[in-house]
Amino acid sequence: MSRSLLSPEAPAAAREPGRDRYLDVLRSLALVRVVVYHLFGWAWLTIAFPSMGVMFALAGSLMARSLDRPAWDVIKGRVRRLLPPLWVFGAVVLCLLLAGGWNVSEDPGHGGAWSPLALLTYVVPVGAPPFPWHLGDEAGLLEDTWPVQAAGPLWYLRAYLWFVIASPLLLWAFRRAPWVTLFAPLALTSVVGTGLVTIPGEVGDAVTDFAVYGGCWVLGFAHRSGLLARVPRYLAVSGASLLMAFGLWWASGHLGPDGWDLNDIPAAQAAWSFGFVVILLQYAPSWPSGPRQPGRFVKWDRLVTLSNNRAVTIYLWHNLLIMATVPVIGTAYDLPFMADPRWDAALDATYGLWMAVLVWPLLGLTIVAVGWVEDLAAGRRPRLWPDGVEVSRRKGGRSSRSRRGFSGEADRLPEGS
C-alpha cells in the first residue's frame, strides 16, 4: 500500500480550512434525533441514525483542526465553553433534587462520608454526576423517574471532556500510526464491551464509553487530515458495511431490555456507529466552507445555524423539558369538555404527540432564557436567538467577521443517546 494512503500528512487530500457546513447539518440532525429518541424511546432510531457516534466524530474533526494551535490553549478553550452552561443547568437540577428531599449522603447508590464530593461533577464533569433513580410520587406533578431523565444524559459531557483532554496524545499517535490508532478503540471494545473483561462502577462506564466512541472520535481526525478521503470509496464502504453487519449480528444475540436499542449493547454500538460514520464522511458533499448550505437545503439554514450556536443548551435541557411537558398536558384534563370520555381517551391516545409538539417551543424559550450563557463562555457578545439573521442584516453582512458570527464557531459540545 502506498505511503499516500497510509500517511495522514499529505496536504493535497486534507480538508480545506474553515468550517464545514456539512458537519453543521449532521450535528443538527443528530440533535433532533436525540430529542426524538428521548421523546418516544424508539430503539430503531439507534440504528437509523447513531447520533452519539456522529457527534463524537464531528467533535473529533473540529478538535483536530483546532490542535494546529498549542494544545493547552485548545483544551482550556473547550473546557471554558463547556462549563458555564453546565453550571446553570446543574444549579437548576440540584435545586430541584434538594427541594424534593434528596440527600446524597443517604442515597444507597451514592452514600458515604465522601459522597457530597461527588456533587462537584455538576461543576466539572470528570465523572457522571450522582442522582437518585426515583424521587417524589408517581402520581405527582412529574414522574418519579424525572432525575434519571434530567441528569442521565450528562454522561456525554464526561466522555466529551476526557476525549478533549486525551486529544493531543491521540492526535500524536494518529500522525505516527494512523490505522493502529483508528482501530484500537474497536479492539478495546471487544474486551470491555463484550463481557470478556468487566470493570465495575463509574470507572468501567467511563472506559467503555471511551472505547465505544473512541473510533468515531479518531475518524474525525481521519476526515480532517484527508486520510479517509484517500481510501478508495468501494473499499471504505465495503469494509464499513461488513463492520455494520457484524454489529447487527452481535446485537441479535445480545438484545438488551429494550430489544434492539444499541445503547445497551456496547460492541454493536461501536461497530455500527463506526461503519455508519465512515459512510457519512465518505459521501460528504463538497459544500463551501461559508455559512450557508446549497440548493434545497437553504430553507433550513437558519435552524442549522441556531442549533449549532446553541448545541450545548439543546443537549443539556431537552430531557428536562420533555418532562416539563407532562404537567402542561395535565392541565388539559381539567378542561370542561374533557368530562366527555371520548375527549379523555383521545388525549390519552395522542399524549406522546402532544409532548413532541410542546417540547420544541419550550426549547425555544430555554434558548432565549439561558442560551446566551454559551456566548459568554465563548467570549462573544450575548445573543438571544443566534440564527444568523442579525448578522446578515448588518452593514456588509458578508464580511469575514459576519461569516464567523453566522456559522457560530460551534466547534464544541455536541459537535450532544
Side-chain angles (χ1 to χ4, degrees), residues 233-244 275 278:
R233 179 171 290 177
Y234 76 90
L235 184 60
V237 173
S238 298
S241 299
L242 288 174
L243 189 59
M244 294 166 71
V278 167

Side-chain angles (χ1 to χ4, degrees), residues 63-86:
M63 191 69 184
R65 184 193 71 178
S66 297
L67 283 172
D68 290 338
R69 296 181 280 120
W72 179 241
D73 291 343
V74 175
I75 292 174
K76 286 194 301 182
R78 289 296 192 279
V79 173
R80 186 189 69 241
R81 290 181 174 188
L82 173 65
L83 293 185
L86 173 63

Side-chain angles (χ1 to χ4, degrees), residues 317-343:
W317 290 89
H318 76 278
N319 236 19
L320 186 59
L321 296 177
I322 290 173
M323 293 296 100
T325 65
V326 173
V328 175
I329 298 173
T331 61
Y333 286 98
D334 297 327
L335 296 174
F337 63 84
M338 292 301 292
D340 187 332
R342 292 175 299 177
W343 286 105

Side-chain angles (χ1 to χ4, degrees), residues 282-305:
Q282 272 287 332
Y283 285 93
S286 299
W287 288 355
S289 60
R292 298 179 67 85
Q293 57 264 24
R296 61 182 179 276
F297 295 104
V298 169
K299 62 182 179 181
W300 303 104
D301 188 75
R302 290 170 60 183
L303 289 177
V304 171
T305 301

Side-chain angles (χ1 to χ4, degrees), residues 135-146 323 326-328 330 351:
L135 188 66
D137 192 332
E138 288 186 8
L141 191 63
L142 295 175
E143 297 179 16
D144 67 337
T145 59
W146 73 264
M323 293 296 100
V326 173
V328 175
Y351 201 98

Side-chain angles (χ1 to χ4, degrees), residues 8-226:
E9 300 296 339
R15 304 291 298 179
E16 65 178 72
R19 290 199 59 81
D20 187 330
R21 195 59 170 171
Y22 176 63
L23 301 189
D24 291 344
V25 172
L26 289 181
R27 184 181 298 107
S28 297
L29 291 174
L31 286 169
V32 170
R33 207 286 278 158
V34 167
V35 176
V36 173
Y37 171 79
H38 286 143
L39 271 166
F40 299 106
W42 292 330
W44 59 267
L45 283 174
T46 64
I47 297 174
F49 195 87
S51 60
M52 305 313 293
V54 170
M55 287 196 290
F56 279 118
L58 305 184
S61 176
L62 290 166
M63 191 69 184
R65 184 193 71 178
S66 297
L67 283 172
D68 290 338
R69 296 181 280 120
W72 179 241
D73 291 343
V74 175
I75 292 174
K76 286 194 301 182
R78 289 296 192 279
V79 173
R80 186 189 69 241
R81 290 181 174 188
L82 173 65
L83 293 185
L86 173 63
W87 293 340
V88 174
F89 178 77
V92 171
V93 170
L94 281 176
C95 286
L96 292 174
L97 290 175
L98 297 176
W102 180 60
N103 186 332
V104 66
S105 299
E106 300 174 358
D107 190 320
H110 306 284
W114 296 98
S115 58
L117 290 178
L119 296 178
L120 292 176
T121 53
Y122 282 97
V123 180
V124 181
V126 292
F131 53 85
W133 286 91
H134 300 276
L135 188 66
D137 192 332
E138 288 186 8
L141 191 63
L142 295 175
E143 297 179 16
D144 67 337
T145 59
W146 73 264
V148 182
Q149 308 298 326
L154 294 182
W155 70 268
Y156 177 77
L157 276 72
R158 174 201 64 203
Y160 175 83
L161 177 62
W162 284 112
F163 275 126
V164 166
I165 294 172
S167 280
L169 179 60
L170 286 173
L171 188 58
W172 176 86
F174 174 77
R175 286 170 173 167
R176 284 154 180 79
W179 297 105
V180 173
T181 308
L182 186 60
F183 289 106
L186 289 176
L188 180 59
T189 304
S190 69
V191 176
V192 300
T194 60
L196 187 63
V197 173
T198 301
I199 305 174
E202 168 67 17
V203 173
D205 293 339
V207 171
T208 300
D209 292 335
F210 197 91
V212 168
Y213 297 107
C216 293
W217 188 276
V218 180
L219 272 175
F221 295 175
H223 172 69
R224 177 59 57 179
S225 69

